[in-house]
Amino acid sequence: MRIGMAATASGTTGILIDDRGKIHEERVEQRGAELSEMVSDILRRLKRRAASPGTNPIPQAITIDVSDALTPNRSASFIVVRIAPRPPVDAGHELSDSAENRYRTRIVHVSGGHTILGDELVPLDTAALIRIARSAGRAPNYVISGVGSLVNPSHEQTAGRILLEHSEPASIEFSHRFSSSAIAVRERTAVLNSALTPGAAALGTSLVLAVEAAAPLSRLYVTTNDGGSTTIAQLSEAPIHALHAGRSTELIGAAALCGIDDGALIVDDGTAPFFGEIIDGVPTVVPTHRASGPAVSTQAANVRGVTDIELHGGADRPLLVTHGAGGPSPLGLSAHSHADHSLRALGAACAPLSEWANRVVDVSNATEMEQALANARARVEARLVSLGAVPASIRIPESRVIATAYQHPRVVTVRVRGIAGESTGSILTGGAARAPR
């Protein structure tokens, strides 16, 4: 058995899939209640509906899509420490992206940085960092971004230690935690992640307490932007990776409803249809999310609006899955399936555990390249096991080395994706996944 939930502005829906593939659904409308209270209520209802003598109706894993419940703190103020050999040449380059304009932000420049091979360009100006810390005021939020930090994060890490020693920060966020090769994208992502973290941490704590009271033996997971899931602890650590999970989770729900592990899908609620592809039971992904504004660095399902290319550009037409109360789809396709239940909650119930290794490395030959890939795969598999995955259920749908554009030929990106859990297409069918018609 498995449980998935979806929290939206109008309420929270929970779905339990029993061992026979039967779906039980409960919904609580939003009437001023906290999300944790609605989750507790739904768990109690599902437990009563699915109970049978001698069985435990609550599974070991409960997965919740909280993407609509995550809200960045727009009143937060930040000190962005940019570590580079020199400041911008003119004021026009001062704000390299628009994300800082959404928050009260002070940008300071500190000498330092590394080359793409990880060699130091200029020494880190530690005296300047001490001055910044002493003048920061009360409980600042720092975001530290450094040139070359993807390969060598030592200047960012040293800056963090100095700021921690000489001030009392509310938070310190490092841009090297995010995998984009563009420093502006990493910095933007770090600012947004930091603005999300306090609310996400409070939400995660309340959900853990609610689930422990209703289902003390269950582990709690949240959906992620790539169509997978991760532990609730990761929500407090990196909420940016759960912020845009809604559509990717619906895509997983549509794939489970159609009983497929490979194929193209259109999901249509009558207002905003979108297109996505499923390969090996998970969505294809892009390394940055752009749909709702400037790009942020997170592995996100490659879902997009429906055009003639998606409808007629391939040899096989995509499967159409409809849901909601809308009438016939205006896309000219006959619906393959109609979801009578919440697609997002269904997708949360079916979402596999997901983990990534996405690192820039310096390799000199093919042997070193293969070793870097093997190391990345081992890290991903170990991480999935630590999240609760059964080793035999782990699959690696993507494992490759990517040349880094416009950089040194020895510098490559090692990219490994790991997932764990039952095949998405077989969860409701009780057998092998069907190929798309």
Side-chain angles (χ1 to χ4, degrees):
M1 285 188 278
R2 58 185 69 222
I3 282 180
M5 296 191 192
T8 64
S10 61
T12 300
T13 304
I15 278 180
L16 183 145
I17 304 172
D18 65 24
D19 294 333
R20 297 168 297 171
K22 184 179 179 181
I23 295 174
H24 306 266
E25 179 176 315
E26 292 288 346
R27 177 170 173 80
V28 176
E29 299 298 327
Q30 172 60 268
R31 294 187 176 92
E34 296 290 333
L35 176 57
S36 57
E37 296 171 344
M38 292 189 283
V39 166
S40 294
D41 191 3
I42 287 172
L43 285 175
R44 286 193 294 270
R45 295 185 191 185
L46 289 175
K47 190 172 184 177
R48 287 195 299 267
R49 285 189 59 179
S52 59
T55 65
N56 177 14
I58 298 299
Q60 292 183 339
I62 298 169
T63 306
I64 306 178
D65 184 287
V66 296
S67 54
D68 285 358
L70 294 175
T71 304
N73 179 9
R74 296 297 184 190
S75 64
S77 60
F78 294 92
I79 298 175
V80 177
V81 179
R82 289 180 176 165
I83 302 171
R86 59 167 177 77
V89 294
D90 55 56
H93 292 85
E94 180 66 29
L95 289 176
S96 59
D97 80 85
S98 60
E100 291 93 340
N101 295 325
R102 304 179 185 181
Y103 306 93
R104 291 179 292 158
T105 304
R106 177 162 70 97
I107 300 170
V108 293
H109 296 272
V110 174
S111 295
H114 293 86
T115 69
I116 191 63
L117 294 176
D119 301 321
E120 188 176 73
L121 286 167
V122 296
L124 181 65
D125 189 347
T126 56
L129 286 164
I130 293 173
R131 290 194 298 271
I132 292 166
R134 290 175 176 172
S135 64
R138 186 171 178 270
N141 295 288
Y142 290 110
V143 168
I144 306 173
S145 60
V147 170
S149 62
L150 273 188
V151 178
N152 188 343
S154 62
H155 279 185
E156 284 193 14
Q157 293 166 339
T158 299
R161 286 194 296 270
I162 291 172
L163 296 172
L164 187 61
E165 290 171 0
H166 295 275
S167 66
E168 296 182 1
S171 66
I172 298 177
E173 186 68 83
F174 300 97
S175 78
H176 71 263
R177 294 180 58 209
F178 307 101
S179 59
S180 174
S181 59
I183 188 172
V185 175
R186 294 201 306 273
E187 183 179 281
R188 177 190 304 132
T189 307
V191 169
L192 179 55
N193 193 73
S194 185
L196 287 165
T197 297
L203 176 64
T205 299
S206 66
L207 290 175
V208 166
L209 293 175
V211 171
E212 283 183 348
L217 299 180
S218 297
R219 299 188 68 174
L220 184 56
Y221 298 88
V222 292
T223 58
T224 48
N225 302 338
D226 61 350
S229 64
T230 190
T231 59
I232 190 70
Q234 293 301 304
L235 182 67
S236 302
E237 186 72 16
I240 187 69
H241 299 314
L243 180 62
H244 303 294
R247 282 191 163 188
S248 57
T249 305
E250 290 180 12
L251 191 64
I252 285 287
L257 193 65
C258 293
I260 64 169
D261 277 336
D262 297 275
L265 292 163
I266 293 176
V267 180
D268 186 7
D269 65 354
T271 58
F274 65 87
F275 172 89
E277 293 179 282
I278 298 288
I279 297 177
D280 198 13
V282 288
T284 59
V285 297
V286 289
T288 55
H289 185 276
R290 300 175 181 269
S292 58
V296 292
S297 177
T298 178
Q299 305 294 330
N302 185 20
V303 295
R304 54 189 184 270
V306 181
T307 67
D308 283 342
I309 294 177
E310 283 76 37
L311 288 172
H312 309 295
D316 298 319
R317 302 185 82 182
L319 302 183
L320 173 64
V321 177
T322 58
H323 66 114
S329 174
L331 300 175
L333 295 178
S334 297
H336 178 276
S337 299
H338 178 78
D340 297 317
H341 303 281
S342 165
L343 263 189
R344 191 172 297 190
L346 178 61
C350 299
L353 277 173
S354 177
E355 185 63 25
W356 289 84
N358 202 337
R359 299 182 60 190
V360 176
V361 297
D362 177 8
V363 294
S364 300
N365 51 53
T367 300
E368 291 183 1
M369 194 178 297
E370 287 299 320
Q371 187 61 53
L373 264 181
N375 293 342
R377 286 195 294 268
R379 286 193 300 271
V380 165
E381 290 170 357
R383 180 63 180 159
L384 285 169
V385 171
S386 74
L387 297 180
V390 176
S393 73
I394 295 174
R395 308 188 299 282
I396 305 293
E398 183 177 353
S399 177
R400 56 180 173 147
V401 174
I402 305 170
T404 308
Y406 309 114
Q407 301 289 0
H408 196 285
R410 281 168 38 194
V411 177
V412 296
T413 297
V414 173
R415 179 179 163 96
V416 175
R417 181 185 197 182
I419 56 176
E422 189 178 349
S423 163
T424 302
S426 64
I427 289 172
L428 298 181
T429 62
R434 300 193 302 268
R437 294 196 293 254

